[in-house]
Amino acid sequence: MLRRTLIAGVAASSLPLAAPAVHAQGFPSRPVQVVVGWPPGGGVDTMGRALAAAMSAELGVPVVVDNRPGAAGVIATMAAARAPADGYTLLFMSLSELAVRQAASRTEYDLDRDFLPISLTGVTPIVIAVNSSVPARTPTEFVAWVREQGGHANYGSPGIGTLQHFAGEALRYGTDLRIEHIPYRGAAPAVTDLIGGSIQIVSSGLPPLVGHVAGKRAHLIAASTARRTSVLPDLPTFSEAGWGEVDIANYAGLAAPKGIPSHVLARLEAAAMAAAKHPRVAQVFASAGSEVIGSTSADYARFIEVERARQVELIRATKFVIEE
């Protein structure tokens, strides 16, 4: 309930900030770079580009996306963390995902030390999907099918330490099935192997699955959110399936290297919040299976703290460890 209350508070407090005094400070005077930890064409990249375009109109300078894929977003994270704290380099990632990685392994970055949240922009549910050849359409049928395979199956995810990996391990823990993780370099290749039959199960975001679900080449089984979402109103949750009180979703947002000046933060915060209200941004986010939020920096920081505490609790329960 607390997480939902926070999201409601984020939406309610997402009001444009006064900008005239901020403009007087001279920021921005050159292009702003948004580092994205995934390849071009994926859901996070598509959303990041839509947000960047809308922010460009708000800031009056180009806002360009710099893709730094690899290591489940860590390469992009470190590139942004090492950038000058001047507001000209931002990170578009799920900070809750980075928090999970930090809690489950040793990382070179530290969220509190290295980053300042700017705005929580959207939430995308994580889903369990199966190849159309799998004779399961419901969570109950899914568990029965895995047990018929001797209780053993493989599932693919976008990579080690991603929230999709975390959701897959939560599924394993909640069902006591011996499902083994197969990491990929992104969701697209995992879904490609799902459709090709190399694997039968994926834990993924919606974007790479939408066309295949529409074409009946894949079927959605459950979502790892606490409640059904507006983008998937008919899909049961882990909790409804009896797989435990799980709440894992991809909360994408903007962050900057720690130490940016307060007037720069205010300018970026206002631009991100205004961009989140742009119809084109809402359209692109919806096509990627994401709900637009748009929040203040303070609300995003508070949201991250609550999410981190929740995920640490689940990490301890599942004994989730990132081994690379």
Side-chain angles (χ1 to χ4, degrees):
M1 287 298 294
L2 180 57
R3 186 184 64 78
R4 292 292 170 180
T5 301
L6 280 175
I7 289 182
V10 163
S13 63
S14 298
L15 300 176
L17 304 180
V22 175
H23 282 296
Q25 303 289 338
F27 176 88
S29 59
R30 55 186 170 89
V32 173
Q33 175 181 260
V34 177
V35 182
V36 174
W38 302 99
V44 176
D45 172 73
T46 301
M47 290 187 291
R49 289 180 186 278
L51 188 70
M55 286 184 66
S56 178
E58 294 294 325
L59 293 171
V61 297
V63 179
V64 297
V65 169
D66 178 16
N67 296 94
R68 301 284 187 95
V74 174
I75 291 175
T77 301
M78 292 310 302
R82 291 167 178 159
D86 55 11
Y88 288 99
T89 299
L90 309 177
L91 177 69
F92 184 69
M93 281 281 292
S94 171
L95 295 197
S96 54
E97 180 171 57
L98 296 180
V100 168
R101 174 172 280 274
Q102 184 176 334
S105 68
R106 293 183 179 181
T107 60
E108 294 182 59
Y109 65 84
D110 181 277
L111 281 180
D112 296 325
R113 179 195 67 207
D114 296 328
F115 290 103
L116 182 65
I118 296 172
S119 182
L120 173 61
T121 56
V123 53
T124 307
I126 293 169
V127 298
I128 301 299
V130 297
N131 180 282
S132 59
S133 65
V134 174
R137 300 295 180 269
T138 69
T140 300
E141 292 173 352
F142 172 80
V143 172
W145 171 75
V146 176
R147 295 202 190 286
E148 288 173 2
Q149 316 308 306
H152 180 83
N154 297 324
Y155 77 91
S157 87
I160 294 172
T162 60
L163 283 172
Q164 291 88 341
H165 177 199
F166 191 27
E169 292 306 289
L171 166 64
R172 181 178 61 81
Y173 177 78
T175 58
D176 200 30
L177 297 173
R178 290 184 296 125
I179 54 174
E180 301 297 328
H181 179 228
I182 299 178
Y184 285 80
R185 292 180 62 86
V191 171
T192 296
D193 271 8
L194 176 79
I195 302 308
S198 298
I199 57 175
Q200 301 299 311
I201 308 165
V202 293
S203 176
S204 172
L206 278 178
L209 283 165
V210 170
H212 298 299
V213 171
K216 301 188 183 304
R217 294 180 293 275
H219 298 283
L220 304 183
I221 299 296
S224 62
T225 46
R227 294 174 179 81
R228 299 192 185 197
T229 66
S230 62
V231 294
L232 294 170
D234 298 324
L235 188 66
T237 66
F238 277 33
S239 177
E240 291 174 318
W243 298 348
E245 296 299 321
V246 173
D247 189 1
I248 306 170
N250 198 339
Y251 296 99
L254 279 172
K258 196 74 169 280
I260 64 172
S262 59
H263 72 276
V264 172
L265 171 62
R267 185 78 178 101
L268 291 169
E269 178 187 53
M273 291 167 65
K277 294 182 168 103
H278 196 282
R280 174 59 180 164
V281 171
Q283 179 184 23
V284 171
F285 273 52
S287 69
S290 182
E291 297 179 87
V292 178
I293 300 175
S295 79
T296 66
S297 173
D299 280 339
Y300 192 16
R302 191 162 66 99
F303 179 84
I304 290 168
E305 283 306 303
V306 173
E307 279 298 292
R308 178 158 46 191
R310 288 175 53 82
Q311 304 308 1
V312 166
E313 183 179 343
L314 184 56
I315 285 168
R316 288 172 180 163
T318 60
K319 297 181 174 58
F320 180 68
V321 177
I322 298 171
E323 297 178 351
E324 299 182 89

